[in-house]
Amino acid sequence: MSVEPFDAVDVIRAKRDGGQVPEPALRWMVDAYTRGYVSDAQMASFAMAIYQRGMVRDEIRVLTDAMINSGERMSFAGLSKQTVDKHSTGGVGDKITLPLAPLVASFGVAVPQLSGRGLGHTGGTLDKLEAIPGWRAALSNEEMFAQLDGDVGAVICAAGSGLAPADKKLYALRDVTGTVDSIPLIASSIMSKKIAEGTGALVLDVKFGSGAFMQDYAMARELAETMVALGTDSGVKTSALLTDMNVPLGLTIGNANEVRESIEVLAGGGPADVRELTIALAQEMLALAGLPDADVAGALDRGRAMDSWRAMIAAQGGDPDAPLPVAREAHVVTAPVSGVMSKLEGLPFGIAAWRLGAGRARAEDPVIHSAGIDLHAKPGDQVVAGQPLFTLSAEDVSRFPRALEALDGAWAVDAEAAPGAHAPGPLVRERITG
């Protein structure tokens, strides 16, 4: 039986006391935890020490690299195209991946978008796409590469279990030990998977505000800077946009209804904020791929991205012409007075959609694709008394009371406001580069 070169207790103490963990010890800690030598209790203690004491840039780099090295690493070097990926930290109504991947692919750039499922109030890209009859998330590496290198150019699918298994194990532990919202742990978790996926360039959509994971702007900015540094240090061209998630993105929250809205954007329409962010991220991705002058808005307007969407859905077994699920029951909330919509908080609307069945409380729970919320007004819009403000959709009316309870105090109409008051600020607040 071989002797371990380090002791977990010493590594925990070093970080607990505010010290910097030496690189060999930190790499050993991740490896020993992945193979079961370091216990969950010890790793939970180490995660809490990181949560309380933080990590310097070099420690976060080593932690991320150790998690990458715990599993396989993909390579797209054999493709005939440049690759560029995008990651969003998630938010209410964030369906941007759906129109974005085919839009970027329509310019001849490969977009390998390995996505996840939703948990709690944040929706999962795979859950949304599974509202399309026949569409499948699980692809072999051979299928993925063929789709990327061929005429389709984009793939949105589930990540393989072999990528950064240390992160998967550590994330499950963080989720039950109160150590999720630590910038070193968030950054290393996201970037270990993204770097292991093997893309040549990466754009991060880091959200802040009520409906975001990082509600505080300064913390969201620190997270963006940390992740851009990790990508840059690993040889991946990386940039980030800081985007506002105080208000739900677009006019839909759910699964099937978000697919419908994405198709509207691909057809040249859709809500202004979804279109704006899709274009901004596409321009950023294409610039990193060497196409800084691409006419992204024109491609949307001309339907060029719609062709890529249809090809991508069909390649994964989906029927792009099939009708999407529609809920059996609806509950409409109307404006109590005439005035200007003054408040529409992201998080409560995300929770309400979750309670309607659009999300899951546990990883093994199913989602109800037809459930969700359709918004008919956003902050800054003028409304008249009795006008529909939003519609809740569910398969069972028994879900409406708890959803409405989540929305209590989350929206308001200002009867005294002048036209144009309460309009939100800029959607894209800042760009972070290496």
Side-chain angles (χ1 to χ4, degrees):
M1 184 176 177
S2 62
V3 177
E4 298 289 337
F6 298 97
D7 190 320
V9 175
D10 292 337
V11 178
I12 293 164
R13 283 194 186 118
K15 181 47 62 184
R16 181 200 67 187
D17 296 342
Q20 184 172 335
V21 180
E23 179 169 339
L26 185 49
R27 288 187 182 277
W28 171 84
M29 189 76 171
V30 174
D31 173 67
Y33 178 59
T34 307
R35 56 188 165 85
Y37 179 79
V38 168
S39 69
D40 280 347
Q42 289 172 316
M43 187 53 92
S45 180
F46 186 53
M48 184 59 75
I50 294 171
Y51 180 90
Q52 293 176 328
R53 292 293 195 168
M55 281 182 147
V56 300
R57 175 171 175 168
D58 199 52
E59 281 181 296
I60 304 173
R61 176 190 64 78
V62 172
L63 176 62
T64 304
D65 193 54
M67 292 201 293
I68 293 168
N69 291 336
S70 71
E72 64 187 45
R73 191 166 183 161
M74 295 180 68
S75 172
F76 296 107
L79 294 183
S80 61
K81 306 173 183 178
Q82 292 250 38
T83 55
V84 60
D85 193 5
K86 164 258 181 187
H87 177 81
S88 169
T89 54
V92 180
D94 181 10
K95 72 279 295 174
I96 299 297
T97 293
L98 277 63
L100 179 64
L103 173 59
V104 173
S106 72
F107 287 89
V109 175
V111 185
Q113 185 75 58
L114 304 190
S115 299
R117 302 191 181 278
L119 192 62
H121 79 278
T122 56
T125 300
L126 302 182
D127 298 320
K128 301 181 204 302
L129 286 167
E130 284 177 341
I132 300 170
W135 187 88
R136 61 190 177 94
L139 298 181
S140 68
N141 283 357
E142 292 73 23
E143 288 174 313
M144 187 195 311
F145 277 71
Q147 193 165 317
L148 289 170
D149 217 18
D151 294 336
V152 179
V155 63
I156 302 174
C157 66
S161 59
L163 295 177
D167 170 65
K168 185 176 182 180
K169 192 173 180 184
L170 179 56
Y171 188 89
L173 187 69
R174 288 166 53 212
D175 204 32
V176 296
T177 56
T179 53
V180 169
D181 48 345
S182 156
I183 285 176
L185 295 174
I186 297 167
S188 59
S189 175
I190 291 171
M191 295 303 289
S192 63
K193 292 190 291 283
K194 284 297 168 185
I195 295 166
E197 285 169 13
T199 186
L202 174 65
V203 174
L204 300 160
D205 178 6
V206 181
K207 299 190 177 298
F208 65 90
S210 160
F213 182 65
M214 279 287 176
Q215 298 192 2
D216 179 73
Y217 182 81
M219 288 189 70
R221 192 179 194 280
E222 183 183 347
L223 176 61
E225 290 176 333
T226 302
M227 292 195 295
V228 168
L230 285 170
T232 302
D233 289 349
S234 297
V236 179
K237 290 179 284 187
T238 309
S239 64
L241 299 183
L242 281 160
T243 65
D244 193 328
M245 186 38 77
N246 281 297
V247 174
L249 190 57
L251 297 172
T252 57
I253 307 163
N255 293 294
N257 59 349
E258 290 195 35
V259 174
R260 286 189 193 95
E261 185 167 276
S262 300
I263 292 170
E264 290 173 12
V265 173
L266 287 162
D273 57 349
V274 178
R275 179 181 163 90
E276 177 190 345
L277 186 52
T278 301
I279 289 171
L281 288 166
Q283 288 172 332
E284 194 72 21
M285 291 170 74
L286 289 165
L288 291 185
L291 298 169
D293 302 318
D295 182 10
V296 175
L300 274 183
D301 293 338
R302 292 190 296 272
R304 176 167 149 186
M306 180 67 86
D307 295 338
S308 297
W309 161 265
R310 293 177 62 84
M312 181 182 73
I313 297 303
Q316 290 176 238
D319 180 354
D321 296 313
L324 293 162
V326 177
R328 283 198 294 258
E329 307 291 345
H331 179 90
V332 180
V333 175
T334 59
V337 295
S338 297
V340 175
M341 191 97 181
S342 58
K343 181 166 74 167
L344 195 74
E345 292 182 8
L347 178 59
F349 275 83
I351 292 171
W354 169 36
R355 290 180 176 178
L356 291 168
R360 51 171 67 84
R362 302 173 304 162
E364 61 269 24
D365 290 345
V367 299
I368 300 170
H369 292 110
S370 59
I373 302 174
D374 288 275
L375 306 174
H376 309 301
K378 300 281 285 282
D381 291 348
Q382 286 189 275
V383 299
V384 297
Q387 172 186 330
L389 296 181
F390 49 90
T391 300
L392 311 184
S393 299
E395 290 299 313
D396 186 340
V397 293
S398 66
R399 288 184 176 267
F400 291 141
R402 287 199 71 233
L404 290 167
E405 184 183 303
L407 297 176
D408 189 30
W411 60 275
V413 176
D414 185 348
E416 309 297 325
H422 303 294
L427 181 60
V428 179
R429 194 64 58 87
E430 194 174 350
R431 178 173 179 264
I432 306 289
T433 66

